[in-house]
Amino acid sequence: EIRRLDLVQWDATDPLRPILIVDVECSAGTYVRALARDLGTALGSGAYLGALTRTRSGPFRLDDAVGLDVLRAAAASGGGAIESLLLPPDAGLEALPTVTLTAAEVADATFGRYVRPVGGVGGAGEGAVVRLHDAAGRLVGIARREARRLAPEKMARG
């Protein structure tokens, strides 16, 4: 799904090979290379994608990214400098309901076993994906609700 397509620049310096720069807002799974081909066809010509820069994916924006020079400097300084640049493990998962597990439930889920949390399934509906936290509030995994239990799908390694 193409939500927005804006013309950013048209460079016809070489009339046989003009360059079109567009800004596209689209849904996940959109094949942008095919969009370039289709734009060329609509203009009565061939076209291809010469470069692609993803400026946003879900809640993550390129403008918020840490530059390579900043990362290198943090690595050179040692200590927890790199850690201070990292987003929390739950970043991007805020829309998922959270279910807190006991230590025994975390252990079961880590081994891929279904769990029936003593605290319930957090109001998540059938088939809903939930994030799993331990008693300290740390993300330990992702599960899917099946009936009154949770089926672990992705678990952190201890």
Side-chain angles (χ1 to χ4, degrees), residues 5 7 21 37 41 47 63 71 90 97-99 103 105 118-119 122 124 136 141 147:
L5 185 114
L7 173 64
I21 298 175
R37 178 202 61 214
T41 300
D63 290 343
L71 188 60
D90 276 20
T98 301
V99 175
E105 292 165 346
V118 294

Side-chain angles (χ1 to χ4, degrees), residues 8 14 25 29 39 44 84 99 114 129 154:
V8 174
D14 179 352
E25 184 178 327
L39 283 171
S84 70
V99 175
Y114 287 96
V129 175
K154 302 285 182 191

Side-chain angles (χ1 to χ4, degrees), residues 32-119:
V32 178
R33 285 177 177 78
L35 176 63
R37 178 202 61 214
D38 295 347
L39 283 171
T41 300
L43 294 171
S45 176
Y48 63 92
L49 190 65
L52 175 66
T53 301
R54 185 178 308 271
T55 59
R56 193 181 90 185
S57 181
F60 304 106
R61 299 174 339 126
L62 184 59
D63 290 343
D64 299 330
V66 173
L68 192 53
D69 54 337
V70 173
L71 188 60
R72 284 186 178 134
S77 71
I82 289 180
E83 240 176 69
S84 70
L85 299 174
L86 300 177
L87 295 173
D90 276 20
L93 303 177
E94 295 84 0
L96 298 180
T98 301
V99 175
T100 301
L101 303 179
T102 66
E105 292 165 346
V106 169
D108 281 344
T110 300
F111 286 111
R113 298 183 193 119
Y114 287 96
V115 292
R116 289 182 194 248
V118 294

